[in-house]
Amino acid sequence: MDLFDAAEISPEDMQKIKKRIDDLRFEITRHNALYHTEDAPEVSDAEYDALVKNLENLEEKHPHFKSKNSPTQKAGAAPKRGFETAAHKVAMLSLSNAFSDEDMKEFVLRIQRYLGVDTFIPLYGELKIDGASCALHYENGKLVKALTRGDGKVGEVITENVMTITDIPKELPEGFPQNIEVRGEIYMRGDDFEELNRKQAEADKKVFANARNAAAGSLRQLDSKITAERPLKFFAYSLIGKSDAYASHSGEMKLLGEAGFALPPEAELIKSEETLYGHYKRISEKRQSLAFGIDGLVYKVDDLKFQERLGFVAKAPRWAIARKFPAEQVTTILKDIEIQVGRTGVLTPRAVLEPAHVGGVMVSHATLHNEDYVKDLDIRIGDTVFIERAGDVIPKVRSVVEAKRPDDAMAFKMPKTCPVCASHAVRPEGEAATRCMNHLNCPAQVEAGIIYAASKGVFDIDGLGEKQIQLFMEKGWLKQVPDIFWLKNHEHEMRHLDGFGDKSVDKLMASIESSRTIDMPRFVAGLGIPMVGVQVATLMAEAYGSWAELQSIMKEGAGKLGSIDGIGPKIIENIHLFMDEPHNVALLDAYAEAGVIVESYIAPDRIESELTGKTVVITGTLTSMTRTEAKARLQAMGAKVSGAISASTDVLIAGEKAGSKLKKAESLGVEVWNEDKLEAFLNYG
Ligand code: IVH
């Protein structure tokens, strides 16, 4: 039974709810004091907010427990922590990536095709600064607000901190547009970073892993006096909200330079494909001698009218691309190959390495994927190997230096049994993975499942990592994922365990509490149904807004899910197999009993327009844009674009030489738009 949704609640459960409410009130009050009076917060702002939200939910569902002594009822409600937040007027997006000349060529052709031209479209090439992005708002010529990127839609207000950065103009010169937004990157120079770390180490303070972390960390200080002491700098890379007089991105950059903003050096207007590759090569060779870190180059369509037509896909503009540098590679010794057993039973070989510094961190393990990968690269224990790490990606063994192979190097053999539970390990015909078949009873699989559930992508529980999970499993406190939410029953004993101070137990308990509420896609993806990751789970959540509804459809056999675009028979079969196992159904009940609250799905904002939810068909030849462009832009306005005309079509867009579809539309009484009307709609809504 779901403790918190049931209409009829037993007296025992009622007591449990009351206890949870009391615990939450106590915890929140304690965190308020830690934060406001002692300046020593123990939980992150997000965790704190989740605790408050949890309490608010419970108080709303059980109004008879409301109390004016609750921290939710105190004057000014729950005090705000951390930075204030504010919505971005224009979303701050990310960029698609290119890793080779071929990827760049594809980008060039893609934009040509989209715009229906066959000549090279000039691109502005800029350094991609490795720092933290920031949006600066100017009103009547004065810097009035600065925001971090945040989640792209809402950022943190860091105005006071930004005011301390000397190369950011606080006022705009006369004659320059006065109400604008300037976006750019806050960064730290390499020499300044080294110096800062030296001082930090001397003062026994936090030492940063790299210049980017140092810049981002310095920017997000609650005390702007600390930010003021940090050597932060700013490069501008975009201007928003100016008049239309500047028709190109390069023109806007020039203007920003004249207004006193520092601009990334080495920028170039690229007018041919050859220069495009040459520019990248020249900068790659120069990279090490630059005073600050860059993680690639950004190429932007220079013409702003083209930019507008190209628009956006999902979270990135179609008119720009980041050309990334290849991952840094270093050599080290492969000391051993160990086997890890994953949550679905897959045996993965993992390299144990002589620790080496790569991509800004120390690496001592790297993935070897599967048996074939090790065989194909002929990787042997004792070999000198090249390893690489790009960004946040898991380190990889890329190749072997055969010339350095010692005589006693040992070839690798995939074991025939699971190294943890000794059951048969099977590699089915035609598959690359070897699996332990003892799913439910293999401790390694159970452990990996719990580790996965506690990780960022699912319940995101701080302080519940591999080590703690192993220990709690040994103690018998964790047998399956929902047990995480009963760990509170062992809190007292936990406080007496080696390495568990009061502080860390309090933190863990708070984090578990705040993770009890989870959004629907993450919860469904976390169930471990093959082929059901966050993307598929989101499709299901979009179709059936609440977990209760989705669960009942899954119980009925999942057939109905077949009507969702993107969910095919294989996925349905997997859901069916999952629900056919009584222990999986019991698992779902165990989540509810443990008080896990799966939040109903709230669809992200879409542009609302006259055509939102309407079905549109395009026919004939369009002259001002390609069909791909028209389709994408209509979709961005919320329309469904279909190929066939029928009585359920709402609008037919008829270009030149429209034929039978136009006739059919007229006979069906479907509204018909010509290209002018389409353009007016796309440009002005
Ligand atoms: S343009 C619509 N230009 O890279 C996207 N971004 O993945 C506009 N960045 O978080 C971004 N240098 O902060 C642009 N010269 C540059 C950049 C740059 C660094 C960062 C930016 C963003 C990320 C995009």
Side-chain angles (χ1 to χ4, degrees):
M1 184 202 61
D2 184 335
L3 266 186
F4 302 94
D5 276 329
E8 281 187 24
I9 298 178
S10 69
E12 272 163 31
D13 286 338
M14 209 40 121
Q15 260 190 336
K16 280 192 191 168
I17 292 165
K18 173 79 173 76
K19 167 131 188 1
R20 177 144 320 123
I21 289 177
D22 286 344
D23 286 352
L24 282 168
R25 284 177 183 161
F26 177 80
E27 277 295 283
I28 293 167
T29 310
R30 194 173 71 83
H31 288 306
N32 284 347
L34 282 170
Y35 186 83
H36 290 282
T37 9
E38 296 175 39
D39 200 17
E42 283 180 8
V43 290
S44 70
D45 296 343
E47 279 163 359
Y48 174 85
D49 292 345
L51 286 175
V52 174
K53 193 164 167 222
N54 241 316
L55 179 58
E56 281 170 354
N57 278 345
L58 287 176
E59 288 177 342
E60 199 175 311
K61 278 191 185 142
H62 306 282
H64 44 285
F65 289 142
K66 276 201 173 160
S67 151
K68 62 178 186 321
N69 291 326
S70 171
T72 58
Q73 304 303 312
K74 299 263 167 78
K80 262 224 141 319
R81 298 169 35 119
F83 295 97
E84 297 269 328
T85 55
H88 291 293
K89 279 192 201 140
V90 178
M92 277 185 101
L93 301 167
S94 52
L95 292 165
S96 323
N97 291 328
F99 293 96
S100 61
D101 285 354
E102 285 77 60
D103 289 354
M104 285 306 297
K105 191 180 182 84
E106 218 168 82
F107 168 71
V108 167
L109 289 176
R110 203 162 51 230
I111 51 180
Q112 285 180 7
R113 262 199 313 270
Y114 191 94
L115 296 170
V117 295
D118 52 14
T119 47
F120 184 86
I121 291 168
L123 299 171
Y124 196 64
E126 280 171 11
L127 301 184
K128 186 169 187 302
I129 316 297
D130 202 6
S133 40
C134 180
L136 308 172
H137 291 255
Y138 291 85
E139 277 171 24
N140 300 322
K142 295 216 164 39
L143 175 59
V144 290
K145 190 166 72 178
L147 297 181
T148 62
R149 178 174 185 274
D151 65 1
K153 282 187 178 169
V154 175
E156 288 168 314
V157 181
I158 49 162
T159 320
E160 268 185 54
N161 291 356
V162 162
M163 287 293 180
T164 69
I165 301 175
T166 46
D167 68 354
I168 289 182
K170 313 297 176 301
E171 270 183 48
L172 299 171
E174 270 176 40
F176 192 85
Q178 300 289 296
N179 297 302
I180 52 160
E181 183 181 336
V182 177
R183 290 182 178 176
E185 201 82 353
I186 291 179
Y187 69 99
M188 207 177 271
R189 284 171 55 107
D191 49 2
D192 287 340
F193 160 67
E194 301 287 345
E195 173 69 11
L196 170 68
N197 259 358
R198 203 184 49 71
K199 279 200 223 150
Q200 292 282 107
E202 242 174 46
D204 214 13
K205 287 188 186 151
K206 183 184 166 78
V207 169
F208 296 97
N210 51 48
R212 173 164 44 87
N213 289 1
S218 303
L219 194 60
R220 294 191 69 263
Q221 291 294 324
L222 287 174
D223 179 356
S224 62
K225 280 196 224 88
I226 301 180
T227 310
E229 287 165 5
R230 302 281 170 84
L232 293 174
K233 292 193 166 301
F234 180 79
F235 277 135
Y237 60 64
S238 95
L239 171 58
I240 292 174
K242 36 57 186 135
S243 77
D244 272 337
Y246 316 98
S248 67
H249 174 67
S250 51
E252 289 185 343
M253 288 294 104
K254 190 161 167 280
L255 198 78
L256 282 174
E258 286 163 8
F261 289 91
L263 305 178
E266 309 289 345
E268 196 175 308
L269 184 61
I270 291 157
K271 296 186 181 139
S272 75
E273 212 176 308
E274 297 70 53
T275 6
L276 175 65
Y277 307 138
H279 178 254
Y280 168 77
K281 195 158 176 287
R282 184 170 67 76
I283 305 290
S284 330
E285 283 158 10
K286 252 193 163 168
R287 183 183 180 189
Q288 298 307 332
S289 62
L290 291 171
F292 47 86
I294 58 173
D295 58 341
L297 293 156
V298 186
Y299 293 99
K300 304 171 182 177
V301 167
D302 196 44
D303 185 314
L304 297 183
K305 286 226 171 58
F306 279 161
Q307 280 195 10
E308 199 179 318
R309 282 180 56 192
L310 283 158
F312 303 87
V313 272
K315 287 190 175 151
R318 263 194 210 89
W319 46 263
I321 197 153
R323 168 101 198 238
K324 291 293 194 71
F325 292 123
E328 189 196 343
Q329 292 203 349
V330 300
T331 59
T332 187
I333 309 279
L334 176 71
K335 296 200 295 190
D336 198 3
I337 296 180
E338 57 184 26
I339 300 288
Q340 282 193 311
V341 185
R343 69 193 169 97
T344 54
V346 175
L347 270 49
T348 305
R350 186 165 90 135
V352 181
L353 304 163
E354 193 63 53
H357 206 75
V358 55
V361 292
M362 215 47 170
V363 167
S364 51
H365 292 97
T367 179
L368 291 167
H369 305 287
N370 54 42
E371 190 177 8
D372 292 347
Y373 190 81
V374 183
K375 277 214 179 107
D376 291 349
L377 293 182
D378 189 19
I379 300 171
R380 302 188 198 175
I381 298 165
D383 269 342
T384 296
V385 290
F386 268 104
I387 57 167
E388 69 169 39
R389 184 179 169 277
D392 294 326
V393 182
I394 304 166
K396 285 193 176 87
V397 171
R398 270 286 172 226
S399 59
V400 168
V401 187
E402 272 184 43
K404 290 198 175 170
R405 173 167 288 162
D407 291 340
D408 60 351
M410 237 172 28
F412 165 73
K413 264 210 183 110
M414 195 64 161
K416 298 259 179 279
T417 53
C418 171
V420 177
C421 72
S423 305
H424 276 304
V426 181
R427 180 175 172 183
E429 245 335 278
E431 278 191 29
T434 305
R435 281 174 209 270
C436 160
M437 303 310 281
N438 185 21
H439 297 300
L440 263 187
N441 297 313
C442 173
Q445 289 185 50
V446 176
E447 182 187 312
I450 301 178
I451 293 174
Y452 175 67
S455 72
K456 273 218 167 338
V458 188
F459 284 102
D460 189 12
I461 299 173
D462 256 1
L464 189 61
E466 208 172 314
K467 269 197 210 130
Q468 293 82 2
I469 289 171
Q470 280 163 355
L471 180 66
F472 298 165
M473 282 181 75
E474 265 171 42
K475 298 236 158 253
W477 300 345
L478 285 180
K479 293 197 183 74
Q480 57 175 359
V481 179
D483 293 341
I484 294 174
F485 299 97
W486 296 112
L487 278 174
K488 206 165 177 49
N489 293 345
H490 307 283
E491 186 183 339
H492 187 68
E493 252 178 285
M494 209 181 280
R495 289 184 194 278
H496 294 95
L497 290 179
D498 267 358
F500 283 80
D502 275 345
K503 207 167 160 175
S504 63
V505 174
D506 288 345
K507 248 185 171 174
L508 175 60
M509 291 303 138
S511 181
I512 290 174
E513 259 342 287
S514 63
S515 303
R516 202 181 282 276
T517 305
I518 181 168
D519 65 67
M520 203 169 148
R522 281 195 304 154
F523 176 76
V524 174
L527 293 174
I529 307 173
M531 296 176 74
V532 181
V534 172
Q535 228 171 351
V536 170
T538 306
L539 291 178
M540 301 202 289
E542 271 170 1
Y544 300 96
S546 80
W547 167 233
E549 201 176 336
L550 177 61
Q551 194 180 355
S552 75
I553 281 157
M554 285 165 65
K555 279 186 179 154
E556 281 167 22
K560 275 194 193 159
L561 297 172
S563 61
I564 303 174
D565 243 3
I567 298 198
K570 278 208 168 142
I571 297 177
I572 294 181
E573 173 68 8
N574 279 320
I575 297 174
H576 188 70
L577 287 174
F578 180 87
M579 296 304 288
D580 244 11
E581 288 283 344
H583 69 259
N584 286 333
V585 178
L587 183 78
L588 299 184
D589 291 342
Y591 274 116
E593 263 159 44
V596 169
I597 300 169
V598 183
E599 278 182 327
S600 292
Y601 184 74
I602 302 165
D605 293 347
R606 296 233 165 79
I607 297 178
E608 282 288 325
S609 79
E610 193 186 327
L611 290 187
T612 301
K614 299 266 170 77
T615 305
V616 178
V617 175
I618 308 170
T619 190
T621 315
L622 300 175
T623 52
S624 64
M625 65 189 93
T626 59
R627 245 192 221 201
T628 323
E629 177 180 351
K631 183 174 173 190
R633 291 177 69 185
L634 282 163
Q635 283 169 336
M637 304 290 268
K640 286 185 245 163
V641 181
S642 154
I645 192 146
S646 72
S648 56
T649 307
D650 294 295
V651 174
L652 177 79
I653 313 274
E656 280 175 13
K657 298 199 193 104
S660 59
K661 281 189 185 157
L662 177 57
K663 283 211 183 86
K664 192 165 175 193
E666 281 164 353
S667 71
L668 289 168
V670 169
E671 187 177 340
V672 178
W673 288 12
N674 63 15
E675 192 169 341
D676 287 346
K677 169 121 198 227
L678 171 68
E679 268 206 274
F681 167 74
L682 292 176
N683 292 329
Y684 307 108

